[in-house]
Amino acid sequence: MATAQLTTERFSLYQHEYQQWLRTLALYSDQETYFTSLLSHVCDSTADYDIVNRSGSFRQWFTGLRAQMAQLSELIEMEERSTAQGIPNWQRRQEIDERHRRMRSGYQMLEQQFITVRQQFYAFITPYVQ
C-alpha cells in the first residue's frame, strides 16, 4: 500500500512538473514570436546589409528552438494523456520514471539554450532598437 501511495505522489509531481514546463514553453513561444517580429522590424528599417545577414543566424536559432519546443510539448501532452487514463501500473513505474528523466533533461537543455540565445539576441539587437 505504501508503494502505491509513493507511486501516486510521484506521478502527481510529474503531472505538476509537466504543467510548469508547458507554461514555460508557452512563455518561450511568446518571446520567440516577439524576437522574430522585432528582428523583422529592425531588418526592414535598415539599409545595413551586415545586420540583415547576421539576422539569419538568429532566424535559424528561433526556428530550431520552435521545433524543439513543439516536440517537447507533444511529448508532455502524450505522457499526460496516457497518465490521465488512470494511475500507471506499478510494474511500469521504472519505464515511466526513465521517460520523465529524459524529458526533464530535454527540458533543461532547451531552457539553457533558450536563455543563451535570448542573451545573444539582446546583445545583437539592442544597438538597433531605440
Side-chain angles (χ1 to χ4, degrees):
M1 181 72 158
T3 301
Q5 184 177 358
L6 289 175
T7 300
T8 302
E9 289 174 10
R10 179 182 307 149
F11 295 135
S12 292
L13 289 172
Y14 289 174
Q15 292 299 103
H16 179 72
E17 193 168 27
Y18 293 151
Q19 290 305 308
Q20 287 179 316
W21 293 349
L22 288 172
R23 284 190 297 273
T24 301
L25 291 173
L27 174 68
Y28 287 174
S29 180
D30 288 347
Q31 287 181 351
E32 183 273 328
T33 300
Y34 170 72
F35 296 158
T36 300
S37 66
L38 182 60
L39 190 59
S40 292
H41 174 73
V42 167
C43 289
D44 291 346
S45 65
T46 186
D48 189 339
Y49 188 73
D50 186 48
I51 294 169
V52 175
N53 277 343
R54 290 178 47 207
S55 72
S57 64
F58 286 105
R59 291 182 196 280
Q60 288 176 335
W61 278 348
F62 296 154
T63 300
L65 285 171
R66 192 177 319 122
Q68 289 177 30
M69 288 187 292
Q71 183 180 25
L72 184 58
S73 293
E74 185 178 320
L75 287 172
I76 292 168
E77 290 168 6
M78 284 175 29
E79 194 65 29
E80 285 186 320
R81 280 192 302 272
S82 72
T83 303
Q85 296 171 355
I87 297 300
N89 185 328
W90 68 270
Q91 294 170 332
R92 291 186 49 234
R93 183 177 68 216
Q94 188 173 9
E95 174 189 333
I96 293 167
D97 289 346
E98 182 57 33
R99 275 198 318 258
H100 185 76
R101 277 192 290 280
R102 285 193 311 265
M103 288 171 60
R104 181 183 291 141
S105 176
Y107 171 78
Q108 289 169 340
M109 193 169 26
L110 177 73
E111 183 177 44
Q112 186 57 47
Q113 187 177 15
F114 186 85
I115 290 167
T116 300
V117 170
R118 181 176 57 200
Q119 289 170 341
Q120 292 174 357
F121 178 73
Y122 281 143
F124 168 75
I125 204 78
T126 299
Y128 307 105
V129 180
Q130 298 165 346

